[in-house]
Amino acid sequence: MKLKTFTTFCVLAYGVMGFAQDLYVGTTDGNNIFFGQVNLSTCTFCSEMQVPLTVFPTGVVSLIALPGPGGLVAGIDGGGAVLVFDPPNTVPLATINAPSNVIFQGAELAPDGTVLITAIEPVASGIEICIYRFNPVGNALSEVGCFPMNTWTLGDIYFWNGQLYAFAFDLQNGGEPTLINITLGPVLSASVVQVFPSFFCGGNTTSIASGPNAGIYGTNLASGCSGVTIVESDPNGNPGGTSCSLSTLGILGISAVPPGFPSSSCNSCTTNAGTITTNANSLCTNALLQITQTGSTLDANDITQYLVSTNLSNLSGSAVLTSNSPSIAFASPLVVNTTYYVSAFTGNNVSNSVDFDDPCLDSTNAVAVIWRPLPSVVLSVVGGNSNLCAGQCRTITASFTGTSPFTLTYNTSFGGPFTQTFSGNTGTFQVCAPANATPGLLNVQATQLVDFRCTCE
């Protein structure tokens, strides 16, 4: 069962879209719940709404900022209910109840925009640990699946690189605290990531997928769970040093602020990277990648840089090429036939580069791009004899690299251009000397080669 703490939350932060660089937090003074955002760059909490604790009959166990510009928030009640709020309206828009006697424990926003909720579900032979799914579209609540009896009890869950993780207790091994990777289905299954030898607090956990504050955020995995601190840890849950302290308010729920969600009412940032599109998702190495950026807003000292990255979950940390121009040419260290992710980051100008520590740093969506190699051809005379007399013919072998079909344009000693198409990576064609040709060496020169993707001239 989840060990709930109201005085500690810690950050498993490392690595590097939009204003979605804050956490949405529910805090309490013992009488009220305060909804708001924590700016992780300044460690400040901005309260945007407060409701009495009694709004949640059995206690709030998680708070999830929902995707989209509406600013809706799902509060998870431990008694098995989802309350949907539209801050600052303190009256829930909807209350969606689970079946009777189901106990909710924690929740996390899934990549598909739904909310996964951990639950204790009574059965005839005891209790099962299950996961429910809340779909904000239609306010639908359904059971995803359950673990086999007496295998796991769950703390909170989070996603990282598209995978679902949880801090849990392994009932088959004396209840030892464990970090697990969960596979969803009617029967939930888990694989162990790491075992923790000591007590840990099982409070709320969440993650930010990309940007300067990318990381996993959750309760300190060490003893002494006291104070409201932000602690840096790695993906395996190993704690590091303390980054900052917030306040003495108790923490009742945290979630990442999703892209598109309204920025904090305390956020004075005007920087907005907007969105980007590209001229193509597949380009030849002799073509420029053209990036079109729309909806951006820069303050007086901002600059925009365009990044080509290898990791969608860590765009700035995996950037292999950076450009101040929206026109990008293929160059080292880029590699052909490799998927890259192109994005734009906007922030303070430091020596003609973006300051990735700017608290108002903003980034766009990412677009996948692949550069394709140019085709090539090697021409050779069958038999090796390049001498040609009047009226004679020679067979030429063309060996291609690239993606078929190939269209070859060439000149010969007797004129051109001539064009032929080949369906495979090798082919032959004949060159014949006119009846009045002067004897001599045959010369065949390729002037253009087009394959399925690219043109080489």
Side-chain angles (χ1 to χ4, degrees):
M1 181 177 292
K2 183 174 191 174
L3 299 178
K4 193 67 178 173
T5 65
F6 291 157
T7 56
T8 302
F9 92 96
C10 311
V11 174
L12 316 171
Y14 56 92
V16 284
M17 171 167 25
F19 287 111
Q21 291 303 306
D22 295 347
L23 293 179
Y24 203 89
V25 177
T27 69
T28 182
D29 59 2
N31 298 306
N32 299 288
I33 302 170
F34 302 89
F35 291 39
Q37 298 185 41
V38 171
N39 185 319
L40 292 172
S41 300
T42 60
C43 295
T44 56
F45 172 70
C46 176
S47 178
E48 299 171 348
M49 184 181 84
Q50 73 178 66
V51 298
L53 281 171
T54 53
V55 169
F56 291 87
T58 57
V60 60
V61 295
S62 193
L63 205 62
I64 305 295
L66 299 175
L72 301 183
V73 178
I76 312 301
D77 183 88
V82 180
L83 285 70
V84 179
F85 293 89
D86 184 12
N89 184 1
T90 60
V91 178
L93 294 178
T95 299
I96 302 93
N97 293 295
S100 177
N101 297 322
V102 171
I103 300 171
F104 282 162
Q105 297 179 280
E108 178 72 337
L109 183 67
D112 64 2
T114 63
V115 178
L116 296 184
I117 308 171
T118 61
I120 299 174
E121 186 173 302
V123 293
S125 55
I127 61 171
E128 284 185 315
I129 304 302
C130 305
I131 289 180
Y132 278 69
R133 186 187 301 276
F134 169 66
N135 190 342
V137 179
N139 289 335
L141 183 65
S142 59
E143 181 187 276
V144 175
C146 301
F147 283 107
M149 295 284 291
N150 301 317
T151 53
W152 300 99
T153 61
L154 298 181
D156 209 357
I157 53 178
Y158 65 90
F159 281 88
W160 190 248
N161 288 334
Q163 300 295 310
L164 179 62
Y165 294 86
F167 296 111
F169 294 95
D170 186 353
L171 300 181
Q172 299 176 96
N173 289 287
E176 62 185 2
T178 309
L179 177 63
I180 60 174
N181 175 240
I182 298 175
T183 300
L184 297 177
V187 178
L188 303 176
S189 61
S191 58
V192 173
V193 177
Q194 178 160 317
V195 175
F196 299 98
S198 60
F199 168 81
F200 68 92
C201 304
N204 288 275
T205 310
T206 193
S207 64
I208 294 176
S210 66
N213 293 324
I216 305 164
Y217 299 79
T219 303
N220 190 8
L221 304 184
S223 60
C225 309
S226 62
V228 182
T229 56
I230 297 177
V231 176
E232 205 171 305
S233 301
D234 67 18
N236 291 330
N238 299 309
T242 299
S243 297
C244 60
S245 179
L246 292 182
S247 70
T248 58
L249 290 174
I251 302 298
L252 297 181
I254 60 173
S255 77
V257 177
F261 192 88
S263 61
S264 169
S265 60
C266 301
N267 192 340
S268 60
C269 296
T270 59
T271 300
N272 186 349
T275 59
I276 63 166
T277 56
T278 59
N279 58 323
N281 296 107
S282 177
L283 299 100
C284 304
T285 55
N286 59 349
L288 285 176
L289 173 68
Q290 301 285 358
I291 302 169
T292 301
Q293 187 175 10
T294 57
S296 61
T297 303
L298 280 66
D299 65 29
N301 64 339
D302 279 349
I303 190 174
T304 294
Q305 285 191 305
Y306 304 92
L307 276 60
V308 181
S309 309
T310 58
N311 187 343
L312 183 60
S313 298
N314 186 5
L315 294 170
S316 65
S318 66
V320 295
L321 190 149
T322 302
S323 172
N324 286 18
S325 168
S327 298
I328 298 178
F330 181 84
S332 177
L334 299 179
V335 179
V336 296
N337 295 325
T338 300
T339 299
Y340 294 99
Y341 302 96
V342 178
S343 61
F345 277 73
T346 300
N348 289 341
N349 185 348
V350 177
S351 300
N352 210 33
S353 296
V354 165
D355 179 7
F356 286 95
D357 292 323
D358 179 2
C360 291
L361 179 73
D362 193 35
S363 64
T364 66
N365 57 306
V367 178
V369 173
I370 299 176
W371 273 276
R372 303 295 185 180
L374 298 179
S376 63
V377 62
V378 175
L379 302 176
S380 58
V381 179
V382 174
N385 184 4
S386 299
N387 291 310
L388 197 62
C389 296
Q392 289 185 329
C393 296
R394 291 285 183 268
T395 299
I396 309 298
T397 298
S399 300
F400 301 99
T401 58
T403 304
S404 61
F406 300 92
T407 299
L408 173 66
T409 301
Y410 60 93
N411 292 326
T412 74
S413 307
F414 314 110
F418 305 99
T419 299
Q420 285 188 246
T421 298
F422 302 84
S423 60
N425 285 77
T426 60
T428 60
F429 60 95
Q430 279 198 330
V431 176
C432 297
N436 60 349
T438 302
L441 291 175
L442 173 62
N443 180 39
V444 181
Q445 182 178 12
T447 58
Q448 184 186 73
L449 178 61
V450 180
D451 74 352
F452 180 72
R453 295 190 176 100
C454 298
T455 299
C456 180
E457 293 181 315

